[in-house]
């Protein structure tokens, strides 16, 4: 019995230690900054501007989480990561959150022991080609040389597409996005393939962006979203609901311009959002005004989208299926109640 009791106590101690180690929310609060993994430089999603400040769609999600947790969207330490380094950095605890155009797949959750906190952007893989090649669709690529970044889902998707459609594509795998763009610009390959959103960003890096076109074909499902470590449900909830707060705000008509009206609103769903009714922030381990701080810092989902990658931005990406479900898209957030 003594041996059993000792073993049970030891197991309990290990479990307690494991739970303590998995309390990212407390660690972030104690540290006073959020360590957020981002792309090394992808226009519209995460890149430094001419003042050295990080901006972009994925960056704004980091800022939203920092605003909810720390009350200040500026308290983020950005960690630029390559495609190969992004998941190991999260696994090792070098970052608290990965917000870096990453596709949600089964193997990334089952094998890597990571978990996606929702879909921030519904994407799909496509192809960028020179207009001069006079190609109207991906089935016309034939035996083209295709530049693709190694270590991404794009490699397998392109091979699957070629095999299914009897294309003889020659895959040229390169270690970085910059090398993909350079090889394409130098004529070493005829096509770039990656997520459609990224193709719009990469086109801007070319000497004459207008001479290149993103083909209409989308050959895969690429749900992109923020990633955290498994085994830390409280932190998962914070990140997940920070994303959902952006979407719920847009659904409710709450934006940076209408926040004051929302705070004075008597509508039950708006009152729950801004924290004047209920204790939803406390349930997450946050303050009552957690969602208000998010909107005040970055706006709602539509504002984040349009500012960084939408039709009026330099990328000019149509909102498409990333519209809210109520206006024909598939973006949908669970309610705060």
């Amino acid at each position: 019995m003594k041996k059993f009791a000792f073993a049970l106590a030891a197991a309990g101690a290990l479990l307690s230690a494991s739970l303590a180690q998995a309390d990212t929310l407390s660690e972030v609060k104690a540290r006073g900054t959020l360590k957020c993994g981002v792309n090394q430089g992808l226009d519209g999603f995460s890149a430094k501007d001419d003042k050295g400040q990080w901006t972009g769609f994925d960056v704004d999600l980091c800022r939203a989480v920092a605003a909810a947790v720390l009350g200040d969207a500026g308290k983020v330490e950005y960690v630029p990561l390559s495609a190969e380094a992004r998941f190991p950095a999260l696994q090792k605890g070098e970052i608290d959150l990965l917000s870096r155009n990453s596709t949600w797949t089964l193997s990334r959750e089952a094998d890597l022991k990571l978990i996606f906190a929702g879909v921030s952007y519904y994407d799909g893989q496509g192809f960028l080609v020179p207009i001069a090649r006079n190609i109207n669709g991906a089935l016309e690529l034939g035996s083209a040389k295709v530049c693709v970044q190694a270590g991404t889902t794009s490699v397998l998707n392109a091979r699957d597409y070629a095999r299914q459609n009897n294309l003889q594509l020659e895959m040229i795998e390169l270690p970085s996005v910059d090398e993909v763009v350079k090889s394409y610009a130098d004529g070493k390959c005829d096509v770039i393939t990656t997520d459609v959103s990224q193709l719009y960003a990469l086109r801007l890096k070319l000497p004459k962006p207008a001479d290149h076109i993103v083909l209409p074909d989308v050959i895969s499902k690429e749900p992109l979203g923020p990633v955290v470590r498994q085994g830390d449900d409280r932190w998962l909830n914070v990140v997940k609901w920070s994303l959902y707060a952006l979407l719920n705000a847009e659904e409710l008509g709450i934006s940076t311009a209408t926040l004051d009206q929302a705070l004075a609103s008597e509508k039950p769903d708006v009152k729950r959002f801004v924290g004047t009714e209920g204790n939803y922030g406390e349930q997450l381990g946050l303050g009552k005004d957690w969602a208000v701080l998010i909107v005040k810092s970055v706006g709602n989902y539509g504002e984040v989208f349009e500012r960084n990658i939408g039709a009026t931005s330099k990328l000019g990406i149509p909102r498409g299926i990333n519209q809210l479900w109520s206006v024909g898209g598939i973006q949908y957030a669970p309610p705060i109640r």
Side-chain angles (χ1 to χ4, degrees), residues 27-98:
E27 292 176 6
V28 171
K29 286 181 175 180
R31 188 193 310 131
T33 56
L34 170 72
K35 293 182 179 179
C36 199
V38 294
N39 197 297
Q40 292 165 302
L42 182 63
D43 286 340
F45 287 87
S46 58
K48 284 187 177 182
D49 62 17
D50 53 5
K51 297 179 181 178
Q53 300 297 312
W54 284 95
T55 63
F57 182 87
D58 290 335
V59 166
D60 276 347
L61 183 55
C62 300
R63 288 170 50 79
V65 174
V69 175
L70 301 169
D72 186 343
K75 292 185 176 180
V76 183
E77 178 185 340
Y78 297 100
V79 182
L81 297 165
S82 67
E84 292 84 358
R86 56 184 163 170
F87 297 125
L90 183 58
Q91 290 170 320
K92 295 173 185 175
E94 295 171 0
I95 55 175
D96 307 306
L97 164 66
L98 179 65

Side-chain angles (χ1 to χ4, degrees), residues 64 116 125 185 259:
F116 283 73
Q125 188 170 329
L259 194 54

Side-chain angles (χ1 to χ4, degrees), residues 217-239:
D217 309 78
V218 177
I219 67 169
S220 70
K221 294 187 296 183
E222 305 294 331
L224 311 180
V227 196
V228 296
R229 290 178 290 278
Q230 288 186 14
D232 192 347
D233 291 349
R234 191 162 75 136
W235 182 240
L236 169 64
N237 279 339
V238 167
V239 175

